[in-house]
Amino acid sequence: MNDSSGRHTVGVVGLGYVGLPLALAFAREGDEVVGLDVDPRKVEQIRAGESFIEDVSGSELADVVSQGLLSATTNYDDLTRVDAVVICVPTPLTRNRQPDLGPVLDSAASLSRVLRRDQVVVLESTTYPGTTRERLVPLLEESGLAAGRDFHVAFSPERVDPGRSDFTLRNTVKILGGLTPECSARAKQLYDRVCDNVMVVSTTEAAEMSKLLENIFRSVNIALVNELAVLCDRMGIDIWEVIDAASTKPFGFMRFDPGPGMGGHCLPVDPFYLAWRAREFDFYTEFIELAGKINQNMPYFCVDKIERVLNDHGKPVNGSRILLLGVSYKPGVGDLRESPALKIIKLLGARGADLVYHDPHVPSLREPPLESVPFEPELEAADLVVIVTAHPELDYRRVASDARLVLDFRGVTRGIDSGNLVRL
């Protein structure tokens, strides 16, 4: 599987938030990495040593590219010579919120045409239990090779948290499950290069389910505090004070904060993957699906709250200048995937708001076509400033002091006493 120096040749399919950092990690260890993406723009940027992912340093990327440790391509033929292929493509939902395995299946079909004996194929894309065995393997076996005998297959869920530096690929436990014990052993040998601790579970299905459990756990608990936030809003109780008080209990309680909705690829998507799969077993995950519905409804609640706050100050939404602070899905990054801010923007636009936004990590939006406005003049000019994503570099005391009216959906103004300030 590797040369006499112990180095591997690794292919990474899908060069986004998961794939590009993984490719860089292998290249750092001296492995030769072939990155593949269907987007030729990404391929050209990588060849030029230009990073389009915030967690990947442009200088470090340029360094491994110049050393010949990382190359980029759109051609699956370039994967014939690698020892292992890791698939890191998106697993979105359809319009009807059903699993869309198109990118995974397309990758598997293309890979089957170049697959060779003794290669290791690992799927990292989050998906429902059974995908690796029932959907990926049959397509790979169209190569004429048998999984578990002629080549090795495993599932190892990504655990990327964009913008985080304390827990990385290196020091976060890596879960994997192989089709056979030998498949697991070969996949573990691969990941031992870039991960300090690799945990092998008994099956691919156990590995697939573990990822869903991680994310559904968060989804359900966030839904709980979001529902309580809506109730507290109606009852006139400060939800942030309630959570702060409950958090003093040193056992039996874990803090989760409410907000305008969930974003990123995982939390808004993964529960629906499991719910869809469960129905094939005549099982209905009512609790999980209800949590998803509550979280999906939060942008609508937030827009209603915006309307009420403006109305309390004698202004309609229609024609009012509304400044949104933060449009990415989480603080400190520019990731827009499933960001609740996008839904809020759409809903406010439909109600006639004069809408602008400021986000130091997102210079522009495609739909609707908006550009981030300067912080200084807009803060005082807006009829209402809405804190949607609490980027750490923004001065929220200044927001509270300079803005005419502030609505905080993230609780970052706790401790600030101001008559122009309203919190979720």
Side-chain angles (χ1 to χ4, degrees):
M1 182 175 174
N2 47 55
D3 62 26
S4 58
S5 67
R7 291 180 299 185
H8 299 77
T9 304
V10 183
V12 178
V13 178
L15 300 173
Y17 284 91
V18 176
L20 187 56
L22 181 65
L24 182 60
F26 280 113
R28 282 197 203 106
E29 297 304 314
D31 295 327
E32 183 184 350
V33 183
V34 180
L36 185 146
D37 202 283
V38 295
D39 186 346
R41 294 170 300 179
K42 288 183 179 179
V43 169
E44 289 303 317
Q45 283 182 274
I46 292 171
R47 288 173 176 172
E50 299 172 359
S51 175
F52 45 86
I53 301 294
E54 286 178 288
D55 289 347
V56 173
S57 161
S59 60
E60 194 169 10
L61 179 64
D63 185 50
V64 296
V65 169
S66 66
Q67 293 182 56
L69 293 172
L70 174 60
S71 60
T73 183
T74 59
N75 189 350
Y76 275 84
D77 288 341
D78 293 329
L79 299 180
T80 55
R81 61 187 179 85
V82 303
D83 302 308
V85 179
V86 185
I87 301 173
C88 307
V89 296
T91 43
L93 294 169
T94 66
R95 280 177 169 266
N96 297 324
R97 307 203 73 75
Q98 293 185 343
D100 179 5
L101 291 180
V104 171
L105 302 182
D106 289 345
S107 297
S110 297
L111 188 57
S112 71
R113 294 193 287 270
V114 298
L115 193 67
R116 61 174 174 80
R117 288 182 182 276
D118 208 38
Q119 280 184 319
V120 176
V121 179
V122 184
L123 177 62
E124 285 210 3
S125 307
T126 305
T127 186
Y128 58 79
T131 300
T132 304
R133 190 183 304 272
E134 299 171 16
R135 305 300 301 275
L136 182 71
V137 166
L139 283 172
L140 294 176
E141 289 184 330
E142 290 183 3
S143 63
L145 303 176
R149 185 191 70 193
D150 301 321
F151 65 97
H152 308 281
V153 178
F155 179 82
S156 181
E158 57 86 5
R159 283 175 153 178
V160 173
D161 189 4
R164 189 155 197 163
S165 58
D166 53 346
F167 290 105
T168 63
L169 176 66
R170 171 59 71 181
N171 66 356
T172 301
V173 176
K174 189 70 170 143
I175 307 295
L176 73 83
L179 204 62
T180 67
E182 179 62 17
C183 290
S184 294
R186 296 294 293 274
K188 183 177 184 300
Q189 182 184 358
L190 172 70
Y191 282 111
D192 279 341
R193 300 279 295 168
V194 293
C195 302
D196 290 338
N197 191 346
V198 178
M199 178 181 179
V200 177
V201 296
S202 59
T203 63
T204 56
E205 289 82 3
E208 290 161 339
M209 183 65 95
S210 72
K211 172 64 174 181
L212 294 181
L213 174 59
E214 293 171 14
N215 291 334
I216 290 170
F217 171 79
R218 283 185 52 77
S219 171
V220 166
N221 281 282
I222 290 170
L224 172 63
V225 294
N226 277 339
E227 188 167 56
L228 287 176
V230 174
L231 175 61
C232 284
D233 179 74
R234 187 169 297 185
M235 296 176 70
I237 299 172
D238 186 342
I239 183 63
W240 303 102
E241 182 182 16
V242 171
I243 294 172
D244 287 343
S247 297
T248 62
K249 186 178 181 182
F251 54 88
F253 183 82
M254 181 179 292
R255 182 180 184 122
F256 288 85
D257 289 338
M262 294 191 308
H265 170 69
C266 294
L267 297 190
V269 174
D270 294 356
F272 294 97
Y273 265 69
L274 183 59
W276 179 85
R277 179 62 164 166
R279 288 194 288 272
E280 293 190 350
F281 291 83
D282 295 324
F283 190 92
Y284 295 88
T285 55
E286 297 179 26
F287 189 57
I288 295 171
E289 290 187 71
L290 178 59
K293 291 176 183 176
I294 291 171
N295 290 326
Q296 279 186 296
N297 193 56
M298 285 306 292
Y300 294 90
F301 166 78
C302 289
V303 169
D304 288 342
K305 179 79 172 178
I306 289 170
E307 189 169 39
R308 282 186 280 127
V309 168
L310 282 170
N311 188 61
D312 289 344
H313 289 76
K315 293 179 180 293
V317 171
N318 190 3
S320 288
R321 184 78 163 181
I322 300 176
L323 169 63
L324 299 187
L325 293 182
V327 294
S328 61
Y329 88 86
K330 64 176 290 187
V333 300
D335 194 340
L336 288 169
R337 291 176 298 172
E338 303 290 334
S339 174
L342 302 180
K343 174 64 75 172
I344 291 172
I345 288 172
K346 181 178 180 180
L347 294 172
L348 287 174
R351 298 189 187 194
D354 179 12
L355 196 63
V356 292
Y357 82 91
H358 172 78
D359 191 311
H361 299 273
V362 183
S364 62
L365 297 175
R366 290 184 182 178
E367 186 59 40
L370 293 173
E371 292 188 359
S372 179
V373 297
F375 182 69
E376 297 278 348
E378 287 296 340
L379 187 61
E380 297 181 17
D383 295 304
L384 174 65
V385 176
V386 184
I387 301 171
V388 180
T389 305
H391 289 305
E393 54 265 61
L394 296 184
D395 183 349
Y396 296 104
R397 287 195 172 275
R398 184 175 177 192
V399 170
S401 66
D402 291 1
R404 301 179 194 175
L405 184 61
V406 180
L407 175 54
D408 176 12
F409 286 135
R410 293 295 184 177
V412 290
T413 60
R414 298 195 305 280
I416 300 175
D417 187 15
S418 177
N420 66 334
L421 180 58
V422 181
R423 282 185 288 270
L424 176 64

